[in-house]
Amino acid sequence: MQNPTITVVGLGSGDEDQLTLGVWRRLQEASNRYVRTDKHPMMKLFSDHQLAYESFDFLYEQMDSFPDVYEAIAEQLIANACTKGSLIFAVPGHPMVAERTVQLLRERCPEHNVELTILGGESFLDQAFTRLGFDPIEGFQLLDAAELKPSLIRTELHTVIGQVYDEFTASDVKLTLMELLPDDHPITIGHALGVPGEEQIITVPLYELDRTPGYGNLSLIWLPRSTDDMLRNRSFERLHEIVAILRSPEGCPWDREQTHQSIRKNFIEETYEAIEALDNDDPDGMREEFGDVILQVMLHSQMEEEVGTFSVYDVIQSLNEKLLFRHPHVFGDTSAGNSEEALRNWEQMKAEEKRRKGIDPATASQLDGIPPDLPALMKAYKIQKKAAKVGFDWDHIGPALDKVGEELQELREAIQSKDAEEQADELGDLLFAAVNVSRFIHADPEEALSRTNSKFKKRFSYIEEQLRISGRTFDQTDLTEMDRYWEDAKKLP
């Protein structure tokens, strides 16, 4: 017994002169004809030659989504083939271009012992290359409007965005492109390319993309390739290229000479400059300083790429995998109702990472993982937090405050003894006790001291200003007057 068969044919872009003779013969000879949609110019040819057919357009109204429609079409075609023995299924354009139903048939026909034959037809891309006038060898990508994301757009390539069915879809495309392109960037819209009497090719500024009528089943959007440096400089790939050039034999002599150790301090300095921009709530400063921090990452990664250990893309991969792994409540099947549950998930996944790396929790110190070069205040805070997680902590703030008083008294005694080393030790104990108090009031000691530094600087500047107004210097005042100015400064907003 012969297996049932499904023959998929492409109806082309809409011009009947472009329909292949082989496809036309198959359509005429078939007993059971199905079309995905009859909203296509080629259906006039069916009417003119009295070719009966069944359309699946009714499913678009019944189903909630396009994927559901394509699933239903594939299932029905396979069922009909098993019942009728053979059928022909006609789709717009080329069967292998933007036809999810055909992909489903390719996957499922073997499961049902249905033989599948696919015959090509002219794709809408053939007409796009001809009517829009670009050569895909220059670099080309085809994207689906429904799945469009900024990360997919490569402005150095010709980009055709298909399946722009209506103004709503065009609006989504516009908003996505606006994340990469200026609002007035020219965009070309193509309607019914190659169809006599229906073709329209319009170029509009990006902001008008969804204000132009005429969208339908035969619409597409074309973004011509660009050599604009402004657009190119917005890409991560361009940054990677620039850093590689700077470190190359033809690059900058200073950059070529640098090592991890020679620019280590730059990493720290740039980080603090970025923090200053954050503290000042300075968007322009943040934009610049964040870039400087990224540059440090790029330079160190480039040095390793040159010796073959890893590249910045490996850095990004490791980071992405870590974020996915440590957020099972977002990307997995666990849940987190609040930030505390999310943090517990994070810590659990960190512990799991250590186990996978062969680190035995039984022998590892609870204080492992704290960078040795952290500022001492920040390091003390992290040490205490880690110790507290295993129960080495007071239940409430009272004993922590008492400890501050105890350490202060010991510092007083050390000062009386005039032993410099003992004094430094007791001062460290006092600071460590103060950090402990900060945990109980949920205040980061580094940030708290930073705010106090800023407050001191502002009030001291007020003293300087008052002395300038009176035409005097610090040599011409005393502590009593400066303290009076200090109290005045405390009253200012």
Side-chain angles (χ1 to χ4, degrees):
M1 181 178 176
Q2 187 175 1
N3 289 339
T5 64
I6 296 176
T7 302
V8 183
V9 299
L11 296 176
S13 59
D15 182 358
E16 63 182 54
D17 289 339
Q18 303 300 325
L19 186 67
T20 68
L21 184 59
V23 166
W24 178 236
R25 284 176 176 166
R26 290 293 188 103
L27 286 169
Q28 288 179 309
E29 294 167 358
S31 302
N32 303 296
R33 303 181 193 89
Y34 295 85
V35 297
R36 179 170 63 77
T37 176
D38 61 10
K39 307 298 189 293
H40 189 269
M42 288 300 296
M43 299 315 297
K44 183 177 181 300
L45 196 62
F46 279 60
S47 299
D48 291 345
H49 290 78
Q50 299 181 338
L51 297 183
Y53 63 88
E54 292 184 36
S55 165
F56 290 109
D57 283 311
F58 69 95
L59 291 174
Y60 288 88
E61 298 178 3
Q62 294 180 1
M63 301 293 178
D64 294 331
S65 67
F66 287 129
D68 290 341
V69 171
Y70 304 144
E71 290 277 351
I73 292 175
E75 289 179 8
Q76 193 162 333
L77 285 171
I78 291 173
N80 290 349
C82 292
T83 301
K84 299 181 179 183
S86 67
L87 60 83
I88 193 165
F89 176 51
V91 298
H94 191 289
M96 294 301 294
V97 179
E99 280 294 337
R100 177 58 184 159
T101 304
V102 178
Q103 296 300 327
L104 292 172
L105 290 173
R106 283 171 55 86
E107 295 169 8
R108 297 179 184 176
C109 280
E111 302 171 8
H112 298 272
N113 294 318
V114 175
E115 293 182 6
L116 180 67
T117 301
I118 298 175
L119 300 179
E122 184 188 52
S123 164
F124 70 93
L125 289 177
D126 295 285
Q127 289 297 330
F129 300 148
T130 302
R131 305 303 298 159
L132 300 176
F134 68 92
D135 187 343
I137 197 66
E138 297 173 350
F140 161 73
Q141 60 178 353
L142 171 64
L143 301 176
D144 183 351
E147 304 292 335
L148 194 64
K149 295 182 291 187
S151 59
L152 297 176
I153 304 295
R154 299 280 299 276
T155 56
E156 71 273 22
L157 304 178
H158 291 287
T159 301
V160 171
I161 303 170
Q163 309 205 80
V164 190
Y165 298 116
D166 50 34
E167 284 81 0
F168 298 107
T169 309
S171 179
D172 290 340
V173 172
K174 179 182 80 170
L175 294 175
T176 301
L177 294 180
M178 278 183 167
E179 296 190 34
L180 301 170
L181 305 172
D183 291 356
D184 59 352
H185 192 84
I187 305 290
T188 297
I189 306 167
H191 301 303
L193 295 182
V195 181
E198 296 185 33
E199 177 182 277
Q200 282 185 296
I201 299 176
I202 312 162
T203 298
V204 299
L206 176 56
Y207 66 85
E208 289 187 1
L209 192 61
D210 56 348
R211 304 175 190 174
T212 305
Y215 287 104
N217 293 337
L218 300 180
S219 297
L220 59 80
I221 290 170
W222 173 45
L223 177 63
R225 68 189 294 264
S226 174
T227 57
D228 187 335
D229 284 340
M230 184 195 74
L231 296 180
R232 192 176 177 214
N233 289 341
R234 288 180 66 87
S235 72
F236 179 81
E237 287 73 19
R238 177 57 172 158
L239 174 60
H240 182 235
E241 178 185 22
I242 289 172
V243 173
I245 291 172
L246 290 174
R247 290 274 304 171
S248 72
E250 297 77 27
C252 171
W254 185 89
D255 285 295
R256 288 202 310 269
E257 292 175 1
Q258 301 316 304
T259 65
H260 289 306
Q261 289 304 313
S262 71
I263 61 171
R264 176 181 179 275
K265 65 181 185 301
N266 296 22
F267 216 143
I268 299 171
E269 291 171 3
E270 298 296 359
T271 301
Y272 278 112
E273 288 178 9
I275 291 172
E276 181 182 11
L278 285 171
D279 291 341
N280 293 337
D281 194 20
D282 176 9
D284 290 336
M286 291 181 209
R287 180 176 60 192
E288 179 177 353
E289 300 303 339
F290 292 169
D292 291 342
V293 172
I294 292 173
L295 175 59
Q296 298 307 308
V297 175
M298 297 298 297
L299 285 169
H300 287 285
S301 299
Q302 181 62 34
M303 292 175 191
E304 292 302 311
E305 184 174 343
E306 290 163 6
V307 296
T309 51
F310 66 84
S311 74
V312 71
Y313 292 101
D314 297 310
V315 174
I316 293 171
Q317 179 184 353
S318 297
L319 175 58
N320 286 339
E321 290 174 351
K322 180 190 297 183
L323 291 174
L324 292 169
F325 185 76
R326 293 189 183 178
H327 290 85
H329 50 285
V330 178
F331 303 105
D333 53 7
T334 61
S335 61
N338 54 46
S339 59
E340 290 182 0
E341 291 181 15
L343 186 58
R344 278 199 298 272
N345 284 340
W346 176 273
E347 294 297 340
Q348 289 171 0
M349 301 316 289
K350 281 180 65 176
E352 177 61 23
E353 283 178 354
K354 289 182 179 179
R355 283 191 288 271
R356 293 186 180 187
K357 291 178 181 178
I359 300 173
D360 185 356
T363 58
S365 170
Q366 295 295 330
L367 303 183
D368 285 347
I370 300 175
D373 291 327
L374 274 180
L377 201 63
M378 189 182 300
K379 190 173 183 179
Y381 185 62
K382 285 187 171 292
I383 287 173
Q384 293 179 16
K385 282 183 66 177
K386 281 181 172 283
K389 286 179 182 178
V390 294
F392 191 72
D393 200 10
W394 285 299
D395 293 331
H396 54 87
I397 195 172
L401 288 169
D402 293 340
K403 188 65 176 176
V404 171
E406 177 187 326
E407 297 297 351
L408 179 58
Q409 180 58 36
E410 292 180 4
L411 176 59
R412 292 180 189 275
E413 294 170 1
I415 292 172
Q416 292 295 325
S417 73
K418 300 187 179 345
D419 185 326
E421 186 172 344
E422 183 182 359
Q423 291 170 8
D425 286 344
E426 296 302 339
L427 176 61
D429 291 346
L430 176 60
L431 293 173
F432 196 83
V435 170
N436 211 5
V437 171
S438 77
R439 290 190 307 106
F440 281 94
I441 63 174
H442 305 292
D444 187 300
E446 191 80 21
E447 294 177 4
L449 184 56
S450 178
R451 286 199 297 270
T452 298
N453 289 341
S454 298
K455 185 164 53 179
F456 182 93
K457 184 178 178 182
K458 180 179 179 181
R459 292 173 182 174
F460 192 81
S461 296
Y462 179 81
I463 297 174
E464 291 177 313
E465 182 183 3
Q466 296 307 309
L467 289 175
R468 279 195 298 270
I469 291 174
S470 62
R472 292 179 296 152
T473 65
F474 283 103
D475 294 336
Q476 297 167 313
T477 187
D478 56 26
L479 183 59
T480 301
E481 183 180 30
M482 286 190 288
D483 191 56
R484 188 172 68 251
Y485 286 142
W486 180 269
E487 292 299 322
D488 291 340
K490 288 171 64 175
K491 299 174 185 176
L492 297 175

